[in-house]
Amino acid sequence: MDDRERLKIVIMQMVEHNKVHLEKYGKWAHFAKVNQLVDAGALLDEVRNLTAHVDITLRQCLNHLSLTGPAEDIEKGI
C-alpha cells in the first residue's frame, strides 16, 4: 500500500470518527437545552457547527488529493 492510499484510509477514518462527535454534540446540546442549560446547549451547538466544518474540510482534502471518486462515494465511505 502506498502513502497516498494510507492517507486516504486515515482521512476516511477521521470522517467516520467525526460523525460520532457530530451526533454526540447534537444530542448533548439538545439535552442541555431541555434541562434549562440553554447557554451550554448553544455552546455545544457551536461546537457541532465547527465539527461540521471539520468534516467538510476533511472531505475537501480527499477530493483535492484525487483519492476518491465522485462525492457520493465519499458519502458511502468508499
Side-chain angles (χ1 to χ4, degrees):
M1 175 183 318
D2 67 10
D3 289 341
R4 290 176 72 86
E5 186 64 25
R6 288 177 60 211
L7 183 58
K8 174 184 175 182
I9 291 167
V10 169
I11 293 173
M12 290 176 69
Q13 289 172 341
M14 290 177 191
V15 169
E16 286 302 311
H17 182 79
N18 218 30
K19 275 192 217 178
V20 175
H21 288 292
L22 281 166
E23 292 168 8
K24 286 184 179 182
Y25 296 144
K27 172 187 171 181
W28 288 104
H30 176 73
F31 175 87
K33 290 175 200 170
V34 299
N35 287 286
Q36 292 75 45
L37 301 167
V38 178
D39 291 342
L43 289 168
L44 286 167
D45 280 337
E46 184 176 342
V47 171
R48 187 184 185 291
N49 291 338
L50 291 168
T51 304
H53 183 72
V54 168
D55 181 70
I56 291 166
T57 306
L58 288 170
R59 290 169 187 274
Q60 287 173 338
C61 184
L62 284 172
N63 285 332
H64 176 74
L65 294 170
S66 301
L67 295 174
T68 62
E72 60 269 8
D73 286 351
I74 297 171
E75 294 294 329
K76 293 176 190 172
I78 296 174

